[in-house]
Amino acid sequence: MVETALTVNGGTVRVALDPRESLLDLLREQLGLTGTKKGCDQGQCGACTVHVDGRRVLSCLTPAVQANGRSVTTIEGVADPDGTLHPLQQAFIDHDALQCGYCTPGQVMSGLACIAEGHAADDEIRESLSGNLCRCGAYVGIVAAVRDVARREES
Ligand code: FES
Ligand code: FES
């Protein structure tokens, strides 16, 4: 077991980890942060997307021990502590960008990265979110939500 200390959504976490454990399993199984979803567990679907030091990663492919000393943000850390949704979360609701919602946490985390990277055109957004699959086919709403917030941040 490897002693590991990381920050998760602003709080310090100290755990002893099996080096084979994924960041996704640490978040869901040990820390109870089940907003991050396990879709394929093979790097194919994007449902497990979180941010590590501000960059998006697929947590199913990331060994949890690699997060030692780093800052992890999950979907639970996106809204304000008072419960006010992040503008991108609100935009997903406003643009009807989800149906079952299983892919949505990953879509939001990738959308936030897309906006931070300065992508606001539809084709750029589609390319940036191409690793996030939605079986419900809510892509039109997802692109509209990201575009909406990206353009508001530009102006
Ligand atoms: Fe990680 Fe599908 S669960 S990419
Ligand atoms: Fe159902 Fe995307 S909303 S998979």
Side-chain angles (χ1 to χ4, degrees):
M1 303 296 273
V2 179
E3 294 295 330
T4 306
L6 62 156
T7 302
V8 179
N9 298 332
T12 302
V13 171
R14 295 179 193 283
V15 278
L17 294 173
D18 182 326
R20 296 166 297 182
E21 182 172 353
S22 70
L23 179 57
L24 176 60
D25 284 345
L26 169 65
L27 293 170
R28 288 183 56 86
E29 308 301 332
Q30 292 194 50
L31 304 184
L33 295 170
T34 54
T36 304
K37 300 305 183 203
K38 182 180 281 189
C40 63
D41 209 19
Q42 295 181 352
Q44 304 280 329
C45 74
C48 65
T49 305
V50 299
H51 293 184
V52 176
D53 287 346
R55 299 179 67 115
R56 62 182 136 173
V57 301
L58 296 174
S59 61
C60 71
L61 294 185
T62 304
V65 291
Q66 276 189 9
N68 187 43
R70 298 178 185 269
S71 178
V72 176
T73 305
T74 70
I75 191 67
E76 288 89 347
V78 169
D80 279 348
D82 70 2
T84 305
L85 293 179
H86 185 283
L88 185 57
Q89 293 174 304
Q90 186 60 51
F92 266 64
I93 296 170
D94 296 343
H95 290 280
D96 210 12
L98 62 149
Q99 290 182 39
C100 76
Y102 198 83
C103 72
T104 309
Q107 302 282 2
V108 169
M109 299 310 289
S110 279
L112 290 170
C114 172
I115 293 164
E117 291 157 10
H119 305 305
D122 283 11
D123 57 347
E124 293 176 323
I125 294 168
R126 277 194 286 270
E127 172 66 25
S128 182
L129 271 68
S130 61
N132 289 80
L133 306 183
C134 175
R135 286 190 187 181
C136 300
Y139 295 112
V140 171
I142 292 167
V143 171
V146 175
R147 180 204 310 129
D148 184 0
V149 177
R151 294 197 179 162
R152 272 189 263 156
E153 297 216 347
E154 270 186 347
S155 58

